[in-house]
Amino acid sequence: MINGIDCPKNIRSIKDALETLQGKWKLLILFALSAEPKRFKQISTEVKGISDKVLSNELKSLETNTLITRTAVDTYPPTVEYSITPHGQSLQKVVEELHLWGIEHRKVIMEK
């Protein structure tokens, strides 16, 4: 755990990270893009329960924060692909740790 030294700096960096990744969809979208670039409908299919409007907003936010890139492919009809950036890939350890924590958390909750 982070100790109390430079607490305001630690709080600021954690706040920045939480604001960038806030909501229940962003990490799931990044996870869906981790293997390969995908089109909008492919992401929508993989991230169950997200509406097209919310997905569109989340993709814009992830792009603004340089976690993904949006590439328009010159085809007819035009297609757009989304891919994770190296900056987005730097969250891999965070996602893996959340995954492991989620498994343990589910066990604890199910034991009640």
Side-chain angles (χ1 to χ4, degrees):
M1 248 330 162
I2 300 171
N3 61 25
I5 301 171
D6 293 326
C7 189
K9 277 187 183 175
N10 294 339
I11 288 174
R12 186 176 335 128
S13 63
I14 291 169
K15 183 180 177 199
D16 289 346
L18 289 173
E19 286 177 358
T20 301
L21 300 171
Q22 71 183 344
K24 63 181 182 179
W25 301 113
K26 288 186 181 81
L27 286 175
L28 296 173
I29 293 166
L30 289 171
F31 182 75
L33 291 172
S34 64
E36 62 185 359
K38 292 186 172 73
R39 296 193 322 245
F40 186 92
K41 282 298 177 189
Q42 291 173 299
I43 300 167
S44 179
T45 300
E46 282 190 31
V47 181
K48 303 270 190 249
I50 192 169
S51 70
D52 286 351
K53 181 179 178 180
V54 171
L55 177 56
S56 179
N57 289 336
E58 298 291 47
L59 288 169
K60 286 176 189 171
S61 175
L62 289 167
E63 184 180 15
T64 298
N65 285 290
T66 67
L67 298 173
I68 65 167
T69 56
R70 178 185 185 274
T71 305
V73 181
D74 190 21
T75 58
Y76 184 81
T79 57
V80 175
E81 283 189 342
Y82 297 90
S83 57
I84 193 165
T85 64
H87 184 51
Q89 289 173 340
S90 70
L91 288 164
Q92 181 177 356
K93 287 182 182 178
V94 173
V95 174
E96 287 174 5
E97 289 298 321
L98 280 171
H99 164 69
L100 294 173
W101 185 87
I103 290 170
E104 291 303 313
H105 177 66
R106 183 170 290 273
K107 287 178 189 175
V108 169
I109 296 301
M110 298 307 273
E111 290 174 359
K112 283 186 165 186

PDB file of all heavy atoms in Angstrom, residues 25 28-29 32 38-52 55 59:
ATOM      1  N   TRP A  25     -17.567   0.479 -17.735  1.00  0.00           N
ATOM      2  CA  TRP A  25     -17.352  -0.001 -19.092  1.00  0.00           C
ATOM      3  C   TRP A  25     -15.941   0.146 -19.623  1.00  0.00           C
ATOM      4  O   TRP A  25     -15.502  -0.655 -20.439  1.00  0.00           O
ATOM      5  CB  TRP A  25     -18.322   0.707 -20.044  1.00  0.00           C
ATOM      6  CG  TRP A  25     -19.746   0.505 -19.690  1.00  0.00           C
ATOM      7  CD1 TRP A  25     -20.620   1.456 -19.238  1.00  0.00           C
ATOM      8  CD2 TRP A  25     -20.494  -0.711 -19.723  1.00  0.00           C
ATOM      9  NE1 TRP A  25     -21.845   0.901 -18.997  1.00  0.00           N
ATOM     10  CE2 TRP A  25     -21.800  -0.437 -19.288  1.00  0.00           C
ATOM     11  CE3 TRP A  25     -20.173  -2.015 -20.075  1.00  0.00           C
ATOM     12  CZ2 TRP A  25     -22.782  -1.403 -19.211  1.00  0.00           C
ATOM     13  CZ3 TRP A  25     -21.157  -2.984 -19.993  1.00  0.00           C
ATOM     14  CH2 TRP A  25     -22.448  -2.671 -19.562  1.00  0.00           C
ATOM     15  N   LEU A  28     -13.561  -2.800 -19.391  1.00  0.00           N
ATOM     16  CA  LEU A  28     -14.075  -3.913 -20.201  1.00  0.00           C
ATOM     17  C   LEU A  28     -13.828  -3.672 -21.689  1.00  0.00           C
ATOM     18  O   LEU A  28     -13.497  -4.594 -22.437  1.00  0.00           O
ATOM     19  CB  LEU A  28     -15.562  -4.120 -19.929  1.00  0.00           C
ATOM     20  CG  LEU A  28     -15.917  -4.550 -18.506  1.00  0.00           C
ATOM     21  CD1 LEU A  28     -17.432  -4.557 -18.309  1.00  0.00           C
ATOM     22  CD2 LEU A  28     -15.319  -5.899 -18.180  1.00  0.00           C
ATOM     23  N   ILE A  29     -13.972  -2.431 -22.115  1.00  0.00           N
ATOM     24  CA  ILE A  29     -13.694  -2.082 -23.514  1.00  0.00           C
ATOM     25  C   ILE A  29     -12.208  -2.284 -23.806  1.00  0.00           C
ATOM     26  O   ILE A  29     -11.844  -2.868 -24.841  1.00  0.00           O
ATOM     27  CB  ILE A  29     -14.130  -0.632 -23.813  1.00  0.00           C
ATOM     28  CG1 ILE A  29     -15.656  -0.508 -23.726  1.00  0.00           C
ATOM     29  CG2 ILE A  29     -13.627  -0.184 -25.183  1.00  0.00           C
ATOM     30  CD1 ILE A  29     -16.159   0.917 -23.680  1.00  0.00           C
ATOM     31  N   ALA A  32     -11.530  -5.878 -24.170  1.00  0.00           N
ATOM     32  CA  ALA A  32     -12.008  -6.382 -25.464  1.00  0.00           C
ATOM     33  C   ALA A  32     -11.043  -6.030 -26.594  1.00  0.00           C
ATOM     34  O   ALA A  32     -10.893  -6.798 -27.553  1.00  0.00           O
ATOM     35  CB  ALA A  32     -13.397  -5.816 -25.767  1.00  0.00           C
ATOM     36  N   LYS A  38     -10.728  -3.792 -33.250  1.00  0.00           N
ATOM     37  CA  LYS A  38     -12.110  -4.227 -33.499  1.00  0.00           C
ATOM     38  C   LYS A  38     -12.948  -3.068 -33.997  1.00  0.00           C
ATOM     39  O   LYS A  38     -12.653  -1.906 -33.729  1.00  0.00           O
ATOM     40  CB  LYS A  38     -12.720  -4.789 -32.216  1.00  0.00           C
ATOM     41  CG  LYS A  38     -12.084  -6.090 -31.768  1.00  0.00           C
ATOM     42  CD  LYS A  38     -12.827  -6.673 -30.588  1.00  0.00           C
ATOM     43  CE  LYS A  38     -12.328  -8.057 -30.270  1.00  0.00           C
ATOM     44  NZ  LYS A  38     -11.036  -8.123 -29.666  1.00  0.00           N
ATOM     45  N   ARG A  39     -14.007  -3.421 -34.692  1.00  0.00           N
ATOM     46  CA  ARG A  39     -14.986  -2.436 -35.115  1.00  0.00           C
ATOM     47  C   ARG A  39     -16.020  -2.248 -34.011  1.00  0.00           C
ATOM     48  O   ARG A  39     -16.105  -3.029 -33.070  1.00  0.00           O
ATOM     49  CB  ARG A  39     -15.642  -2.876 -36.420  1.00  0.00           C
ATOM     50  CG  ARG A  39     -14.631  -2.943 -37.559  1.00  0.00           C
ATOM     51  CD  ARG A  39     -15.261  -3.079 -38.923  1.00  0.00           C
ATOM     52  NE  ARG A  39     -16.420  -3.925 -38.977  1.00  0.00           N
ATOM     53  CZ  ARG A  39     -16.507  -5.065 -39.633  1.00  0.00           C
ATOM     54  NH1 ARG A  39     -15.469  -5.514 -40.284  1.00  0.00           N
ATOM     55  NH2 ARG A  39     -17.621  -5.750 -39.648  1.00  0.00           N
ATOM     56  N   PHE A  40     -16.808  -1.193 -34.140  1.00  0.00           N
ATOM     57  CA  PHE A  40     -17.780  -0.808 -33.133  1.00  0.00           C
ATOM     58  C   PHE A  40     -18.696  -1.966 -32.744  1.00  0.00           C
ATOM     59  O   PHE A  40     -18.860  -2.272 -31.565  1.00  0.00           O
ATOM     60  CB  PHE A  40     -18.604   0.383 -33.651  1.00  0.00           C
ATOM     61  CG  PHE A  40     -19.540   0.965 -32.641  1.00  0.00           C
ATOM     62  CD1 PHE A  40     -19.127   2.013 -31.833  1.00  0.00           C
ATOM     63  CD2 PHE A  40     -20.833   0.478 -32.494  1.00  0.00           C
ATOM     64  CE1 PHE A  40     -19.989   2.563 -30.896  1.00  0.00           C
ATOM     65  CE2 PHE A  40     -21.691   1.007 -31.557  1.00  0.00           C
ATOM     66  CZ  PHE A  40     -21.268   2.060 -30.760  1.00  0.00           C
ATOM     67  N   LYS A  41     -19.292  -2.608 -33.718  1.00  0.00           N
ATOM     68  CA  LYS A  41     -20.247  -3.694 -33.429  1.00  0.00           C
ATOM     69  C   LYS A  41     -19.562  -4.896 -32.781  1.00  0.00           C
ATOM     70  O   LYS A  41     -20.181  -5.588 -31.972  1.00  0.00           O
ATOM     71  CB  LYS A  41     -21.004  -4.123 -34.694  1.00  0.00           C
ATOM     72  CG  LYS A  41     -22.122  -3.181 -35.067  1.00  0.00           C
ATOM     73  CD  LYS A  41     -23.168  -3.143 -33.959  1.00  0.00           C
ATOM     74  CE  LYS A  41     -24.274  -2.163 -34.270  1.00  0.00           C
ATOM     75  NZ  LYS A  41     -25.166  -1.949 -33.124  1.00  0.00           N
ATOM     76  N   GLN A  42     -18.314  -5.151 -33.135  1.00  0.00           N
ATOM     77  CA  GLN A  42     -17.583  -6.244 -32.486  1.00  0.00           C
ATOM     78  C   GLN A  42     -17.411  -5.949 -30.998  1.00  0.00           C
ATOM     79  O   GLN A  42     -17.592  -6.832 -30.159  1.00  0.00           O
ATOM     80  CB  GLN A  42     -16.209  -6.431 -33.135  1.00  0.00           C
ATOM     81  CG  GLN A  42     -16.262  -6.984 -34.544  1.00  0.00           C
ATOM     82  CD  GLN A  42     -14.880  -6.990 -35.174  1.00  0.00           C
ATOM     83  OE1 GLN A  42     -14.247  -5.946 -35.332  1.00  0.00           O
ATOM     84  NE2 GLN A  42     -14.415  -8.174 -35.541  1.00  0.00           N
ATOM     85  N   ILE A  43     -17.070  -4.701 -30.675  1.00  0.00           N
ATOM     86  CA  ILE A  43     -16.919  -4.314 -29.270  1.00  0.00           C
ATOM     87  C   ILE A  43     -18.265  -4.413 -28.565  1.00  0.00           C
ATOM     88  O   ILE A  43     -18.366  -4.952 -27.463  1.00  0.00           O
ATOM     89  CB  ILE A  43     -16.352  -2.886 -29.147  1.00  0.00           C
ATOM     90  CG1 ILE A  43     -14.987  -2.788 -29.818  1.00  0.00           C
ATOM     91  CG2 ILE A  43     -16.269  -2.467 -27.682  1.00  0.00           C
ATOM     92  CD1 ILE A  43     -14.485  -1.369 -30.014  1.00  0.00           C
ATOM     93  N   SER A  44     -19.290  -3.926 -29.211  1.00  0.00           N
ATOM     94  CA  SER A  44     -20.639  -3.956 -28.640  1.00  0.00           C
ATOM     95  C   SER A  44     -21.085  -5.378 -28.323  1.00  0.00           C
ATOM     96  O   SER A  44     -21.725  -5.630 -27.297  1.00  0.00           O
ATOM     97  CB  SER A  44     -21.619  -3.297 -29.613  1.00  0.00           C
ATOM     98  OG  SER A  44     -22.919  -3.320 -29.123  1.00  0.00           O
ATOM     99  N   THR A  45     -20.731  -6.315 -29.185  1.00  0.00           N
ATOM    100  CA  THR A  45     -21.090  -7.719 -28.973  1.00  0.00           C
ATOM    101  C   THR A  45     -20.305  -8.319 -27.814  1.00  0.00           C
ATOM    102  O   THR A  45     -20.860  -9.068 -27.011  1.00  0.00           O
ATOM    103  CB  THR A  45     -20.815  -8.529 -30.268  1.00  0.00           C
ATOM    104  OG1 THR A  45     -21.601  -7.967 -31.323  1.00  0.00           O
ATOM    105  CG2 THR A  45     -21.159  -9.987 -30.084  1.00  0.00           C
ATOM    106  N   GLU A  46     -19.028  -7.983 -27.701  1.00  0.00           N
ATOM    107  CA  GLU A  46     -18.182  -8.554 -26.643  1.00  0.00           C
ATOM    108  C   GLU A  46     -18.483  -7.974 -25.269  1.00  0.00           C
ATOM    109  O   GLU A  46     -18.416  -8.672 -24.270  1.00  0.00           O
ATOM    110  CB  GLU A  46     -16.709  -8.351 -26.969  1.00  0.00           C
ATOM    111  CG  GLU A  46     -16.205  -9.325 -27.995  1.00  0.00           C
ATOM    112  CD  GLU A  46     -14.696  -9.274 -28.147  1.00  0.00           C
ATOM    113  OE1 GLU A  46     -14.003  -8.985 -27.159  1.00  0.00           O
ATOM    114  OE2 GLU A  46     -14.235  -9.529 -29.274  1.00  0.00           O
ATOM    115  N   VAL A  47     -18.799  -6.685 -25.222  1.00  0.00           N
ATOM    116  CA  VAL A  47     -19.078  -6.019 -23.947  1.00  0.00           C
ATOM    117  C   VAL A  47     -20.589  -6.051 -23.746  1.00  0.00           C
ATOM    118  O   VAL A  47     -21.306  -5.127 -24.108  1.00  0.00           O
ATOM    119  CB  VAL A  47     -18.510  -4.579 -23.928  1.00  0.00           C
ATOM    120  CG1 VAL A  47     -18.789  -3.913 -22.595  1.00  0.00           C
ATOM    121  CG2 VAL A  47     -17.018  -4.586 -24.227  1.00  0.00           C
ATOM    122  N   LYS A  48     -21.051  -7.130 -23.186  1.00  0.00           N
ATOM    123  CA  LYS A  48     -22.490  -7.376 -23.019  1.00  0.00           C
ATOM    124  C   LYS A  48     -23.138  -6.324 -22.132  1.00  0.00           C
ATOM    125  O   LYS A  48     -22.591  -5.948 -21.096  1.00  0.00           O
ATOM    126  CB  LYS A  48     -22.714  -8.748 -22.379  1.00  0.00           C
ATOM    127  CG  LYS A  48     -22.090  -9.889 -23.148  1.00  0.00           C
ATOM    128  CD  LYS A  48     -23.032 -10.447 -24.152  1.00  0.00           C
ATOM    129  CE  LYS A  48     -22.501 -11.724 -24.738  1.00  0.00           C
ATOM    130  NZ  LYS A  48     -22.115 -11.639 -26.099  1.00  0.00           N
ATOM    131  N   GLY A  49     -24.291  -5.829 -22.574  1.00  0.00           N
ATOM    132  CA  GLY A  49     -25.091  -4.920 -21.760  1.00  0.00           C
ATOM    133  C   GLY A  49     -24.861  -3.447 -22.016  1.00  0.00           C
ATOM    134  O   GLY A  49     -25.596  -2.607 -21.499  1.00  0.00           O
ATOM    135  N   ILE A  50     -23.859  -3.096 -22.807  1.00  0.00           N
ATOM    136  CA  ILE A  50     -23.592  -1.686 -23.067  1.00  0.00           C
ATOM    137  C   ILE A  50     -24.432  -1.220 -24.254  1.00  0.00           C
ATOM    138  O   ILE A  50     -24.555  -1.926 -25.257  1.00  0.00           O
ATOM    139  CB  ILE A  50     -22.080  -1.437 -23.311  1.00  0.00           C
ATOM    140  CG1 ILE A  50     -21.760   0.053 -23.300  1.00  0.00           C
ATOM    141  CG2 ILE A  50     -21.611  -2.105 -24.587  1.00  0.00           C
ATOM    142  CD1 ILE A  50     -20.273   0.368 -23.271  1.00  0.00           C
ATOM    143  N   SER A  51     -25.025  -0.038 -24.134  1.00  0.00           N
ATOM    144  CA  SER A  51     -25.810   0.503 -25.249  1.00  0.00           C
ATOM    145  C   SER A  51     -24.862   1.154 -26.249  1.00  0.00           C
ATOM    146  O   SER A  51     -23.722   1.506 -25.917  1.00  0.00           O
ATOM    147  CB  SER A  51     -26.823   1.536 -24.746  1.00  0.00           C
ATOM    148  OG  SER A  51     -26.154   2.709 -24.323  1.00  0.00           O
ATOM    149  N   ASP A  52     -25.334   1.304 -27.485  1.00  0.00           N
ATOM    150  CA  ASP A  52     -24.505   1.918 -28.511  1.00  0.00           C
ATOM    151  C   ASP A  52     -24.121   3.352 -28.143  1.00  0.00           C
ATOM    152  O   ASP A  52     -22.996   3.785 -28.385  1.00  0.00           O
ATOM    153  CB  ASP A  52     -25.210   1.894 -29.866  1.00  0.00           C
ATOM    154  CG  ASP A  52     -25.230   0.509 -30.487  1.00  0.00           C
ATOM    155  OD1 ASP A  52     -24.556  -0.402 -29.954  1.00  0.00           O
ATOM    156  OD2 ASP A  52     -25.918   0.331 -31.509  1.00  0.00           O
ATOM    157  N   LEU A  55     -21.451   3.189 -25.430  1.00  0.00           N
ATOM    158  CA  LEU A  55     -20.208   2.710 -26.045  1.00  0.00           C
ATOM    159  C   LEU A  55     -19.536   3.828 -26.837  1.00  0.00           C
ATOM    160  O   LEU A  55     -18.334   4.045 -26.726  1.00  0.00           O
ATOM    161  CB  LEU A  55     -20.460   1.496 -26.941  1.00  0.00           C
ATOM    162  CG  LEU A  55     -19.246   0.946 -27.687  1.00  0.00           C
ATOM    163  CD1 LEU A  55     -18.111   0.591 -26.730  1.00  0.00           C
ATOM    164  CD2 LEU A  55     -19.641  -0.257 -28.537  1.00  0.00           C
ATOM    165  N   LEU A  59     -15.868   5.254 -25.933  1.00  0.00           N
ATOM    166  CA  LEU A  59     -14.787   5.206 -26.926  1.00  0.00           C
ATOM    167  C   LEU A  59     -14.184   6.594 -27.129  1.00  0.00           C
ATOM    168  O   LEU A  59     -12.962   6.738 -27.210  1.00  0.00           O
ATOM    169  CB  LEU A  59     -15.299   4.632 -28.248  1.00  0.00           C
ATOM    170  CG  LEU A  59     -15.598   3.133 -28.244  1.00  0.00           C
ATOM    171  CD1 LEU A  59     -16.348   2.736 -29.507  1.00  0.00           C
ATOM    172  CD2 LEU A  59     -14.330   2.308 -28.082  1.00  0.00           C
TER     173      LEU A  59
END
